């Protein structure tokens, strides 16, 4: 039983202190980058030129 507890504790310790995964700062930077990219994509897709091009594609596909 004692070795089982020790094994679980070692597993948790390696997960908490290991180099795998992202730290909180990396998550924050990744989230900011994703939001910035989403904002840019939204701006591009809602522009008049892109909207007109999409409508032209849809009109040609339906006719």
């Amino acid at each position: 039983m004692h070795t089982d507890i020790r094994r679980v504790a070692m597993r948790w310790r390696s997960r908490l202190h290991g180099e795998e995964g992202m730290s909180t700062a990396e998550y924050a930077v990744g989230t900011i980058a994703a939001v910035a990219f989403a904002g840019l994509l939204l701006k591009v897709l809602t522009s008049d030129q892109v909207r007109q091009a999409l409508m032209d594609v849809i009109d040609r596909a339906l006719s």
Side-chain angles (χ1 to χ4, degrees):
M1 172 104 175
H2 180 65
T3 57
D4 291 336
I5 294 172
R6 189 173 199 188
R7 191 176 313 135
V8 170
M10 288 175 64
R11 217 179 284 155
W12 274 105
R13 189 177 306 129
S14 69
R15 286 184 183 173
L16 291 175
H17 298 294
E19 293 295 322
E20 295 180 20
M22 292 192 299
S23 68
T24 304
E26 290 168 329
Y27 276 117
V29 171
T31 301
I32 291 170
V35 169
F37 181 73
L40 178 65
L41 188 61
L42 180 65
K43 186 71 173 170
V44 168
L45 290 178
T46 57
S47 69
D48 290 334
Q49 294 90 357
V50 173
R51 184 178 297 159
Q52 187 59 46
L54 290 174
M55 291 303 291
D56 290 344
V57 169
I58 292 170
D59 285 342
R60 273 187 257 142
L62 294 177
S63 59

